[in-house]
Amino acid sequence: MILGGSAMLAGCASAPAAVTPIVLAQAPAPRPLAPIPQITPPPLDPQRLVRPALMARAMAALDVHHPRIPLRDRMYLVDFQKFSGEERLYEVDLIAGRVTAFRTCHGRGSDPDHSGYARTFSNQPESYMSSVGAFATAGAGWGSQQGPNVLLDGLEYTNNLARDRAIIVHGADYADPAFLAREGKLGRSYGCFSTAHTDLPMLRERMGEGRLLYAAV
C-alpha cells in the first residue's frame, strides 16, 4: 500500500501539466493616413495697388530687419513717387493678401514749392524733409502738439534719427479730405507721416509695435 501510494505520487509528479494556450488579440491594421491638403495662400495685392518694385523691396526689408520686426501679419508701405492727393500709404495684409490704401503727407522740406510731389529726402534734424527706408513701428504714443500718434524707429542710415526728429504717424487738419477738396493736394508736415484724423485711430491700433513701415521713391 505504501509503495503503491508512493508510485502514484511519483506518477502524478511526473505527468505533464495541462497548459492553456494564451491567444493574443491581433492589432487592427493601421488606417492609411489621409493626405494633408495643400493650402495655397491667397495672392498678395490682387488689385495691384502697390508698385511691384516697392512691394519687393518691402518684402526684402522684412527679412533684413527681422530682429526688429517680429510681427509679419501686416506691413505698411508709403510710395513717395505718387502725388500727395493720391492714396499712397498702404496697409498690406500678409496673410489674407488684401491691401488697404490711405493718404499721407510728406515733409515741407521735401517739397519746398508745394507741388504735391516729394523731391528730396533727408535724415537730418531741422531739415523738415521726409525720410525713406525701413522703420519699425514702436507703439501708440501721445504728444502735446499732435496728440495721439504712432512712434517709429528708423532702421537704416537714411532714417535712423527718426526718434530724435520726432518722426511719427499722426493726424492733421492738412491731411483731411476737406483740405484736399479745397487745395487739390494735401498739406506738408515737418517730415512726419501725417494722415487724416478719421484714419488715424484704426492705423494707430493696427500698426502697434514691431511691424514694418517702409517708405520709398
Side-chain angles (χ1 to χ4, degrees):
M1 295 290 293
I2 296 174
L3 290 174
S6 299
M8 290 179 63
L9 290 174
C12 291
S14 61
V19 177
T20 303
I22 300 174
V23 180
L24 297 177
Q26 186 174 2
R31 292 184 177 182
L33 295 176
I36 299 175
Q38 297 297 318
I39 300 175
T40 302
L44 191 61
D45 188 19
Q47 296 176 280
R48 308 289 286 178
L49 298 179
V50 182
R51 278 189 296 124
L54 175 57
M55 183 72 78
R57 291 168 65 182
M59 295 298 289
L62 280 175
D63 294 329
V64 170
H65 300 290
H66 67 90
R68 298 291 303 275
I69 305 172
L71 300 181
R72 300 182 67 144
D73 53 348
R74 51 187 173 268
M75 65 179 178
Y76 297 84
L77 312 181
V78 177
D79 189 350
F80 278 135
Q81 279 193 10
K82 300 186 77 172
F83 180 67
S84 70
E86 297 181 81
E87 294 175 329
R88 57 180 182 174
L89 166 61
Y90 305 102
E91 180 186 86
V92 181
D93 187 326
L94 293 168
I95 298 174
R98 293 186 302 268
V99 173
T100 306
F102 306 87
R103 291 184 176 88
T104 189
C105 300
H106 52 249
R108 63 178 58 241
S110 294
D111 179 15
D113 297 329
H114 201 187
S115 66
Y117 288 94
R119 303 296 188 187
T120 55
F121 303 89
S122 175
N123 190 35
Q124 294 303 311
E126 308 303 323
S127 67
Y128 302 141
M129 294 186 189
S130 295
S131 296
V132 293
F135 299 80
T137 62
W142 186 278
S144 58
Q145 296 182 350
Q146 291 85 11
N149 58 63
V150 181
L151 302 174
L152 298 172
D153 287 321
L155 304 180
E156 301 179 355
Y157 74 93
T158 54
N159 61 15
N160 59 8
L161 297 180
R163 281 292 188 118
D164 296 336
R165 297 180 62 205
I167 302 301
I168 55 178
V169 180
H170 67 85
D173 294 342
Y174 53 81
D176 282 339
F179 187 98
L180 175 61
R182 184 174 67 250
E183 303 293 333
K185 55 195 169 191
L186 299 188
R188 298 164 297 169
S189 68
Y190 283 172
C192 293
F193 299 94
S194 306
T195 66
H197 287 294
T198 53
D199 292 334
L200 181 66
M202 187 192 74
L203 288 169
R204 188 169 181 252
E205 178 182 357
R206 292 178 62 79
M207 283 183 168
E209 183 176 359
R211 293 184 174 89
L212 173 70
L213 187 152
Y214 190 84
V217 289

